Amino acid sequence: MSPYVLLAAAIAAEVTGTISLKYADGFTKLVPSTVVVVAYGTAFYLLARVLKAGMPVGVVYAIWSAVGVALVALIGALFLGERLNLTMIFGLVLVIGGVVLLELGGGE
């Protein structure tokens, strides 16, 4: 399987775990708490497979964290009633831009 597909699945798992943290209520609710543990375990397992496939750790982590941050911010704004203003959107664009530059610089 393509390392990028595995990375996308790792990101989806991490975002699922992060969103579930909001509903776990300090790990006092069983189902969301279980989702957090399983999702993060899955995310790290998939990240390990991506790294084993040969992708550079700096690029993998940059993509994983930046896309995860952007998705969690968007999901928070769209579905959880959290605010997202123009300054925050600009910050997300800068983070994603930095990841793109890392990826482009990796070919040199």
Side-chain angles (χ1 to χ4, degrees):
M1 186 175 293
S2 163
Y4 285 101
V5 172
L6 291 172
L7 182 55
I11 292 166
E14 186 266 334
V15 168
T16 299
T18 301
I19 296 300
S20 297
L21 277 171
K22 181 169 181 80
Y23 297 103
D25 196 26
F27 287 102
T28 60
K29 295 183 179 174
L30 180 62
V31 173
S33 298
T34 302
V35 171
V36 170
V37 172
V38 171
Y40 277 119
T42 301
F44 285 114
Y45 169 77
L46 292 170
L47 279 176
R49 298 235 355 239
V50 170
L51 293 172
K52 186 176 180 180
M55 285 185 71
V57 69
V59 171
V60 169
Y61 187 71
I63 294 170
W64 181 63
S65 58
V67 174
V69 166
L71 286 174
V72 168
L74 289 173
I75 290 168
L78 294 173
F79 301 107
L80 303 176
E82 297 176 356
R83 69 180 195 96
L84 188 62
N85 60 38
L86 285 177
T87 303
M88 296 164 80
I89 291 169
F90 182 65
L92 290 171
V93 169
L94 288 174
V95 168
I96 292 169
V99 170
V100 170
L101 289 174
L102 277 173
E103 183 69 24
L104 292 173
E108 294 179 12

